[in-house]
């Protein structure tokens, strides 16, 4: 029997698959991965190799990727962090980028060509992006590529935020974007993934994966009592974070941004709009 594998996490097509899948999937050819890193501030990971294809997620600066094919400006890759598979623009990748030492802890920051905020920025980076720092110049860290970033906006990769909910709250009012993963726009599961990553916990990308793999179930009834800050509330295709026993924080297409609202009215509205009932509430250890 053919093994059923999640297409989102499996680098396999009818014509090409990852070498480690030989014997598990059928493909005309198998390829070894070429290690590369994202050097663009962020890069769209699309379902097909064209700019108008569906956006499944985004890769942030410094992320490691495994490239299985490069063709006509697109690289077919698997992200090393959460294993998502798709197509990234070739121009967003480099094979000679240094291993990052720091990550962006501010919601968004700028990369300057020199140690002055009056210089025109070279790029902007979102929370979670990573950089290789090679030196310092006054109030700035200097990156391997010569960029300058305000020191308080970065931290070493091993420094973890004590409160992932507080990280998520920084995204209040950020626009909703299906597949987005930056402070310019993100979706519900990206909000959870980014906030937990800042706290040192790697989690899957999509809400169904998060519901399956995170935390312990919390018993709940119609009253939705006894919830805690940090509990994750799941619907089919949606997830939110409790900021206190009664308040939900989530990126929602209803208002097209990240909002904080009472859980019970949100529950009733989602049900009325055919979003279905709450499927699980999970508490992280």
């Amino acid at each position: 029997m053919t093994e059923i594998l999640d297409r989102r996490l499996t680098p396999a097509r009818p014509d090409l698959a990852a070498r480690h899948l030989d014997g598990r999937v059928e493909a005309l050819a198998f390829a070894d991965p070429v290690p590369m890193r994202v050097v663009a501030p962020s890069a769209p990971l699309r379902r097909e190799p064209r700019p108008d294809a569906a956006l499944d997620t985004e890769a942030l600066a410094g992320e490691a990727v495994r490239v299985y094919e490069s063709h006509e400006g697109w690289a077919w890759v698997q992200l090393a962090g959460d294993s998502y598979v798709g197509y990234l623009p070739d121009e967003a990748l480099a094979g000679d980028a240094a291993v990052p030492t720091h990550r962006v802890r501010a919601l968004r920051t700028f990369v300057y060509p020199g140690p002055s905020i009056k210089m025109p920025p070279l790029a902007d980076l979102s929370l979670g992006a990573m950089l290789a720092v090679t030196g310092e110049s006054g109030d700035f860290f200097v990156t391997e590529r010569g960029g300058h970033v305000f020191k308080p906006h970065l931290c070493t990769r091993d420094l973890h935020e004590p409160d992932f909910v507080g990280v998520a709250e920084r995204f209040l009012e950020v626009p909703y974007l299906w597949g987005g993963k930056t402070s310019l726009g993100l979706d519900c599961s990206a909000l959870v993934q980014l906030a937990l990553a800042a706290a040192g916990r790697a989690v899957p990308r999509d809400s169904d994966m998060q519901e399956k793999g995170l935390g312990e179930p919390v018993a709940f009834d119609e009253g939705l009592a006894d919830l805690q800050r940090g509990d994750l509330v799941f619907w089919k295709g949606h997830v939110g974070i409790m900021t206190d026993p009664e308040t939900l924080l989530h990126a929602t297409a209803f208002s097209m941004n990240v909002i904080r609202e009472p859980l019970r009215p949100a529950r009733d509205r989602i049900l009325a709009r055919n979003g279905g009932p709450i499927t699980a509430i999970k508490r992280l250890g």
Side-chain angles (χ1 to χ4, degrees):
M1 295 180 62
T2 302
E3 185 177 1
I4 299 176
L5 300 172
D6 191 329
R7 68 148 189 90
R8 299 169 293 180
L9 307 177
T10 308
R13 309 182 320 216
D15 63 323
L16 182 65
R19 181 82 60 192
H20 72 270
L21 294 174
D22 194 356
R24 297 180 62 194
V25 302
E26 294 185 4
L28 296 178
F30 293 87
D32 294 314
V34 176
M36 302 187 84
R37 285 192 184 274
V38 177
V39 292
S42 65
L45 186 117
R46 300 195 181 277
R47 199 167 301 178
E48 298 176 27
R50 63 176 202 272
D52 61 345
L55 177 68
D56 279 338
T57 186
E58 292 180 290
L60 303 182
E63 282 199 60
V65 302
R66 296 184 283 267
V67 179
Y68 290 100
E69 178 191 59
S70 292
H71 181 66
E72 295 184 349
W74 291 91
W76 186 51
V77 311
Q78 183 170 40
L79 304 182
D82 60 20
S83 298
Y84 225 104
V85 175
Y87 294 88
L88 289 175
D90 266 333
E91 62 187 10
L93 303 173
D96 59 352
V99 176
T101 59
H102 290 64
R103 62 175 174 82
V104 176
R105 67 183 308 182
L107 186 63
R108 181 164 289 267
T109 192
F110 293 105
V111 181
Y112 297 95
S116 172
I117 62 172
K118 296 182 180 181
M119 303 181 78
L122 299 171
D124 53 88
L125 299 173
S126 193
L127 187 147
M130 296 181 292
L131 297 165
V133 169
T134 57
E136 300 181 24
S137 180
D139 292 333
F140 295 82
F141 283 122
V142 182
T143 73
E144 60 157 332
R145 294 175 178 264
H148 292 65
V149 182
F150 187 52
K151 284 181 180 178
H153 287 182
L154 299 183
C155 65
T156 57
R157 291 181 63 187
D158 60 357
L159 180 63
H160 300 146
E161 299 281 356
D163 177 19
F164 86 92
V165 181
V167 177
E169 288 174 318
R170 299 178 200 169
F171 286 88
L172 274 169
E173 302 300 334
V174 167
Y176 179 90
L177 176 65
W178 179 276
K181 196 177 167 181
T182 77
S183 59
L184 287 180
L186 78 171
D187 59 25
C188 63
S189 54
L191 180 64
V192 171
Q193 187 186 48
L194 285 167
L196 282 169
R201 185 162 185 166
V203 303
R205 175 61 176 89
D206 291 345
S207 61
D208 64 315
M209 303 175 190
Q210 293 170 356
E211 180 177 350
K212 181 179 179 180
L214 292 180
E216 296 297 326
V218 174
F220 65 95
D221 56 21
E222 189 71 15
L224 295 173
D226 300 322
L227 301 187
Q228 298 178 9
R229 179 177 173 88
D231 286 347
L232 302 179
V233 184
F234 292 92
W235 290 260
K236 183 178 180 180
H238 191 58
V239 61
I241 305 167
M242 297 302 294
T243 62
D244 61 47
E246 297 180 349
T247 309
L248 181 74
L249 177 79
H250 58 150
T252 170
F254 171 72
S255 59
M256 288 302 290
N257 63 349
V258 177
I259 62 173
R260 186 162 40 200
E261 61 177 328
L263 173 60
R264 293 174 191 172
R267 182 266 318 268
D268 296 342
R269 182 188 70 240
I270 291 170
L271 183 62
R273 292 170 63 91
N274 298 318
I278 292 174
T279 56
I281 297 177
K282 306 294 282 291
R283 184 163 297 161
L284 305 180

